[in-house]
């Protein structure tokens, strides 16, 4: 029973860390979206390597987060 509680605490800790990381990525993406003044700038941002990296990382972290939530 004690091991089960320890695992739950560990999973809750991972959940918080993942959620914080996802929120920071979303904040960075939103900051860049707000900085882009024109549609052309926004299109360049959305086609950039950094945007692709952030989006991919966010998606992967969110999938892990959902898997933990399902446990």
């Amino acid at each position: 029973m004690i091991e089960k509680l320890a695992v739950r605490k560990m999973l809750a800790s991972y959940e918080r860390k993942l959620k914080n990381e996802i929120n920071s990525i979303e904040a960075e993406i939103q900051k860049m979206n707000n900085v882009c003044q024109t549609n052309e700038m926004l299109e360049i941002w959305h086609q950039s390597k950094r945007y692709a990296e952030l989006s991919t990382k966010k998606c992967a972290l969110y999938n892990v987060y959902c898997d933990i939530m399902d446990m």
Side-chain angles (χ1 to χ4, degrees):
M1 187 65 149
I2 294 173
E3 293 170 356
K4 195 174 190 179
L5 290 174
V7 169
R8 285 184 183 163
K9 284 183 181 181
M10 183 180 63
L11 288 175
S13 173
Y14 288 152
E15 274 184 55
R16 284 189 301 275
K17 288 177 184 176
L18 287 170
K19 190 65 175 167
N20 288 338
E21 184 68 22
I22 291 168
N23 287 338
S24 70
I25 291 171
E26 287 175 346
E28 186 173 346
I29 289 173
Q30 188 59 43
K31 182 179 87 174
M32 285 302 296
N33 285 339
N34 292 339
V35 167
C36 295
Q37 298 292 323
T38 64
N39 289 336
E40 290 82 13
M41 287 176 63
L42 196 57
E43 187 175 334
I44 290 169
W45 160 240
H46 283 216
Q47 293 177 358
S48 71
K49 182 179 177 182
R50 180 68 177 151
Y51 180 81
E53 289 171 354
L54 288 172
S55 297
T56 303
K57 185 175 179 181
K58 177 184 160 190
C59 184
L61 290 174
Y62 185 75
N63 288 337
V64 172
Y65 176 76
C66 288
D67 288 344
I68 290 174
M69 294 273 296
D70 289 341
M71 289 184 183

